[in-house]
Amino acid sequence: MHTDSGGVVPGVIVENVSLGLAMCAERVALFSTVALGARPLALALVAPRTGEDLTWPCGACLQVALELGGSSMPIYATSVADDAPISRSTVGELLPNGPFVRR
Ligand SMILES: [Zn+2]
C-alpha cells in the first residue's frame, strides 16, 4: 500500500481455522494504513496467479478500497511465480458499480 505520507504499508493474508475470520492481505494493508493515520493512494498485489490470470483483489477488498481510496485509486498486480509484467487497473474498473463511489 502506497500512502499519502509517502510510506509503503505491507499486508499479508491472515488465515484462521474459522474461514470467515481470515483477512485478505489487501484489507490488512488498507486498515493498517488507516491505523497509521495515512490515506491509501495505490495498492499493489504480488501473488500467485489464480488459474491463468493475475490475482486481483476480491469484492470485499475492492469495496474497502473504494471507500478509503476512491474509484480512481490504482491497483497493480503481478505474479510471484513468473516474470509477468506488472498490470495496472483501478478500483473503479474492477468494481464499476460499487455501492459507494468517492469522487
Ligand atoms: Zn480480499
Side-chain angles (χ1 to χ4, degrees):
M1 176 65 52
H2 181 233
T3 73
D4 65 342
S5 61
V8 175
V9 178
V12 297
I13 187 168
V14 181
E15 298 193 357
N16 190 283
V17 70
S18 177
L19 294 178
L21 299 178
M23 183 62 64
C24 299
E26 298 93 316
R27 274 180 285 162
V28 169
L30 286 159
F31 294 148
S32 295
T33 298
V34 172
L36 292 170
R39 189 170 88 73
L41 293 182
L43 180 63
L45 277 75
V46 180
R49 290 179 180 269
T50 301
E52 298 291 318
D53 300 321
L54 293 175
T55 298
W56 295 94
C58 73
C61 291
L62 288 171
Q63 177 60 35
V64 171
L66 179 64
E67 293 190 31
L68 296 178
S71 63
S72 63
M73 185 171 82
I75 298 179
Y76 301 93
T78 190
S79 167
V80 293
D82 54 61
D83 290 329
I86 297 172
S87 291
R88 181 189 186 280
S89 189
T90 66
V91 173
E93 290 170 347
L94 296 172
L95 189 68
N97 298 309
F100 176 87
V101 178
R102 183 171 154 185
R103 304 273 175 221

